[in-house]
Amino acid sequence: MERMIKIFLSMGLVVVGLTAPAYTGDLADRVASGKTIRLGFASEPPQAYPGEGNKPLGYVNAIAEGVLRSMGYTNIEPVVTDWGGLIPGLQAGRLDLITGGMYINKKRCDNITFSEPVSKETDVFMVKTGNPEQITTYKDLVTKSATMVTGAGYAGIEIAKKLGVPASQIMEVPGGTEILAAVIAGRAAAGVTSYTVVQDIAKKSGGKVEATNPALMPEESSAWIGIGFRNSDKDFVAKFNTELKRYLGTPEMMKAAAEDGYDEKALPGDTTTEWVCAHR
């Protein structure tokens, strides 16, 4: 177990405290005054994670930075925090936009403004290789009285409860590294997070874990990822969305995101944020 954690730490997957000062003005005013655009993200590979000097890596960061550059903004300051600090940091004015595997859903839409979707995802189970406890659906968790583990604030918590998994069988941890640790140690029969995250972790786990079949997951597990902004920055978001529509799916964008596993199947299609906010 310690070896697995050391592997992740050696890859730069270290959470840094959010210490950026608060700012109460609109993002457009901040940019016009020459200040940086503070891009907040947690270490959630392959969607977002820090490189050397906290360089924003991951396919959602690549898309966000590509759109901002197309808008003429290059003065971007990365701020790494834990998952639970992203939305509070945005609302408190310590961040200007947040990325990573942030699923668009009604609860979040009530608190922040999302860009149009940048990717479509599906949650799956992370299980020990060979799936010894045969967990492939939420129903399996219920019938086997098995514990699942997922990230604090992840969408899978509400889906699990909706499908009958008792709260006593749901373990919440900070993020992917801790989900992996709980599954390997046997503290949980299965971890719940997005398919691309599980695939990425599985590749780095030395064959210890694998992803279950996403086709067996409920329709509610299909999700769309967006980039989050403060509600006061809707004008900026509208301009961001205009450029996002032009940029999404271009050869330039696909090349930038391909390094972290993004391909044509990950494109969000015609689904709008308005629809997702109403139906998720």
Side-chain angles (χ1 to χ4, degrees):
M1 176 55 55
E2 289 182 0
R3 181 175 179 272
M4 289 304 305
I5 299 300
K6 288 178 181 177
I7 289 173
F8 275 79
L9 291 174
S10 69
M11 298 179 67
L13 305 187
V14 182
V15 175
V16 178
L18 198 164
T19 58
Y23 176 79
T24 58
D26 292 340
L27 178 52
D29 295 337
R30 179 179 173 83
V31 172
S33 68
K35 292 184 172 64
T36 60
I37 295 177
R38 295 161 304 178
L39 189 159
F41 59 98
S43 184
E44 295 284 327
Q47 294 138 342
Y49 57 98
E52 186 176 350
N54 283 346
K55 179 181 178 181
L57 301 178
Y59 70 77
V60 181
N61 277 339
I63 294 170
E65 288 194 296
V67 173
L68 291 171
R69 282 195 302 269
S70 297
M71 296 171 71
Y73 304 131
T74 58
N75 192 11
I76 300 168
E77 175 189 352
V79 182
V80 186
T81 185
D82 58 41
W83 181 265
L86 288 172
I87 290 178
L90 183 68
Q91 292 175 316
R94 293 189 295 270
L95 301 171
D96 298 311
L97 68 157
I98 53 177
T99 67
M102 183 70 69
Y103 288 0
I104 303 169
N105 60 38
K106 185 180 186 306
K107 185 176 181 180
R108 291 174 180 153
C109 293
D110 288 341
N111 291 286
I112 64 174
T113 295
F114 279 102
S115 70
E116 290 299 329
V118 301
S119 178
K120 184 177 180 181
E121 270 282 6
T122 300
D123 270 357
V124 295
F125 293 116
M126 179 198 302
V127 295
K128 288 184 179 179
T129 299
N131 198 1
E133 298 196 45
Q134 295 299 295
I135 304 295
T136 58
T137 68
Y138 285 101
K139 182 178 179 181
D140 293 333
L141 292 170
V142 177
T143 58
K144 297 173 185 287
S145 298
T147 296
M148 64 166 263
V149 59
T150 192
Y154 282 20
I157 296 170
E158 295 306 316
I159 294 172
K161 290 178 179 178
K162 180 180 177 181
L163 296 176
V165 180
S168 60
Q169 290 174 221
I170 301 173
M171 180 191 305
E172 297 184 39
V173 296
T177 303
E178 294 81 9
I179 293 173
L180 171 67
V183 172
I184 291 177
R187 297 195 303 274
V192 178
T193 186
S194 69
Y195 181 69
T196 56
V197 169
V198 176
Q199 288 289 81
D200 185 76
I201 290 175
K203 285 190 293 185
K204 298 168 182 172
S205 74
K208 294 183 182 296
V209 297
E210 64 185 26
T212 58
N213 185 354
L216 298 178
M217 299 299 282
E219 190 272 337
E220 295 96 326
S221 290
S222 293
W224 287 263
I225 291 173
I227 296 166
F229 296 83
R230 286 185 294 273
N231 288 334
S232 59
D233 290 324
K234 292 184 186 295
D235 289 346
F236 187 94
V237 177
K239 294 176 182 177
F240 185 94
N241 282 333
T242 296
E243 190 55 36
L244 174 63
K245 183 177 180 180
R246 186 206 66 79
Y247 183 69
L248 198 64
T250 62
E252 176 190 358
M253 186 234 106
M254 298 303 289
K255 181 180 179 180
E259 185 175 336
D260 290 289
Y262 191 104
D263 57 21
E264 285 79 6
K265 296 189 294 294
L267 288 166
D270 296 328
T271 303
T272 66
T273 292
E274 182 181 10
W275 183 90
V276 181
C277 286
H279 293 87
R280 284 293 184 270

